[in-house]
Amino acid sequence: MTNTPWESASPRYKKLVFAAMGIMGVGIILAIIGANIPSLPTVYIAIGIMVIGMLCHIASLVVRAKDARQWRIDNGLAAPQANKRPADGQN
């Protein structure tokens, strides 16, 4: 792994981060517009869009954590998780 997480990040992580930033930017701009013109529905729509952006950001954090875990397993720094259920179907 390199010094910065961005250099070693997966394309899925990068796409989710850029999508989250773009969606949040649109939501912030809409919130500013809705606050300057007395339009309550525009503000509520902006809040909804910002929530979607935050969900994209949280999804990108999950993807990054999974990628980091897989990197640690591939490099022998962590053990793979054991199956919680037996393979033969016995409890």
Side-chain angles (χ1 to χ4, degrees):
M1 196 164 253
T2 59
N3 290 335
T4 62
W6 190 255
E7 292 175 1
S8 62
S10 67
R12 183 185 313 151
Y13 170 75
K14 291 179 181 181
K15 288 176 188 174
L16 278 171
V17 168
F18 281 127
M21 287 191 309
I23 292 169
M24 286 295 293
V26 169
I28 290 169
I29 290 170
L30 257 174
I32 291 170
I33 291 170
N36 286 326
I37 60 171
S39 173
L40 203 53
T42 305
V43 174
Y44 288 141
I45 290 171
I47 291 171
I49 290 173
M50 286 189 278
V51 167
I52 292 169
M54 288 303 298
L55 291 175
C56 284
H57 178 66
I58 291 170
S60 70
L61 292 175
V62 170
V63 168
R64 179 69 182 147
K66 286 179 68 175
D67 290 346
R69 172 89 176 142
Q70 188 60 45
W71 182 87
R72 288 192 304 269
I73 290 171
D74 291 343
N75 289 301
L77 300 173
Q81 292 179 346
N83 289 336
K84 294 183 179 179
R85 295 183 185 174
D88 61 358
Q90 298 293 325
N91 287 338

